[in-house]
Amino acid sequence: MTAIHEPPLHTPTGSLLRLATAGSVDDGKSTLVGRLLHDTKQVFADQLDAVERVSRERGLDGADLALLTDGLRAEREQGITIDVAYRYFATPRRRFILADTPGHVQYTRNMVTGASTAQLAVVLVDARHGVVEQTRRHVAVAALLKVPHVVLAVNKMDLVGYQESVFAPIADEFARYARALEVPEVTAIPISALAGDNVVDPSNAMDWYAGPTLLEHLEDVDVDHDPRHCAARFPVQYVLRPQSSEFRDYRGYAGQVTAGAFRPGDEVLVLPSGKRSTIAGIDRLGERDVEVAFAYQSVTLRLTDDVDVSRGDVIVPADRAPEVTQDVVATVCHIADRPLRAGDRVLLRHGTSTVKAVVRSLDSTLNLETLVRESGPEALHANDIGQITLRTAAPLPLDDYADHRRTGSFLLIDDADGATLTAGMVGVPLGTAAED
């Protein structure tokens, strides 16, 4: 495989940015991702040759860059993205993991998946159509998932004569809506993914726009939130007891540090039991007794006491523990075709733990047009965003999602067939309460 020229994937780069794209069908999302990859020299020559050949067979004048990202046959045949695809690329200034998520309303659940770990969301709108219902849904999902940075990419500016008078009102309407959802930062950029305007290179057709290109913004946006400074969390995945001659008395608890840092000597609690102990040692990748384990490192913790620890337990600092509760109030995005109703019995998956739960009440749904929480829905249907109350069969250590995305989120699962029903975030609901 031959590169167009040496891509910068192997050069030293700065921090990592996780981003997700969202947009309605035909807003040009796949073309934008293809343009980003092409203009940052991330496309190999034989890949581009294949795209150009297929484009000619379809009677197109130039290469359809959307073909670079529509990886599934069904996607190519329908001309829409239907699954989340992760793209990895880098520039000399930063590394990127891009979640290319579907725009069709039927696949909103896939956007939830793609945005759940994103630090930035790029929401596309077609300059000819402006902000539409699906745009509002995507912003609401980004707000629900606490994505800290949102970029509005007003695409297809070439089809409206590159006019500022088209771009400005769309940017204003989007900004008002995002502010009402308390999205902390919104940046609007006029682009043409097809022609390459303001994606990687500045446009010569929009001299009225003095802001950054999309790539410049992605390279510069500040995402220096350091999870190592949060209260430490360690969901236990496995209990290790090799009982070999070399490790006859070894007992360790393997998993990934999801926030904060642990050190030998730290006093900890094992939740939900509340048993207290002290970290005796930390092992990592065959290395014994490392000095510290930071967020996102996979390690094994050893404790000084022979306390009962099982898969699904969470080890936390004794002085910064989350609430342990069986009553869960959360904002949710319902993603299954079957509706969710009060009284439904489900499984709740939280980290490495799965417990039985019952939906006690459906408290409200969010009206995406008015951003008002409407009380007392009879059911939540696919793509509805609302607030619910659950009762679990066993206590769970739950953080507020705004503080800890991993330990503040959960999934509801159908206990009959294992289908995922709902994505939930513990914390303050979106929108404003309806007036009596």
Side-chain angles (χ1 to χ4, degrees), residues 378-413:
E378 292 186 359
L380 290 185
H381 301 279
N383 303 317
D384 279 352
I385 294 172
Q387 178 182 317
I388 67 173
T389 300
L390 298 153
R391 174 74 176 179
T392 62
L396 290 172
L398 293 174
D399 283 297
D400 190 297
Y401 182 80
D403 299 326
H404 290 79
R405 292 174 83 174
R406 296 277 289 275
T407 48
S409 60
F410 61 84
L411 293 174
L412 298 184
I413 297 168

Side-chain angles (χ1 to χ4, degrees), residues 345-367:
R345 297 185 180 278
V346 296
L347 297 177
L348 187 153
R349 181 171 298 165
H350 174 251
T352 56
S353 175
T354 302
V355 300
K356 293 181 178 179
V358 61
V359 181
R360 276 197 158 177
S361 61
L362 304 180
D363 305 323
S364 63
T365 55
L366 180 67
N367 184 315

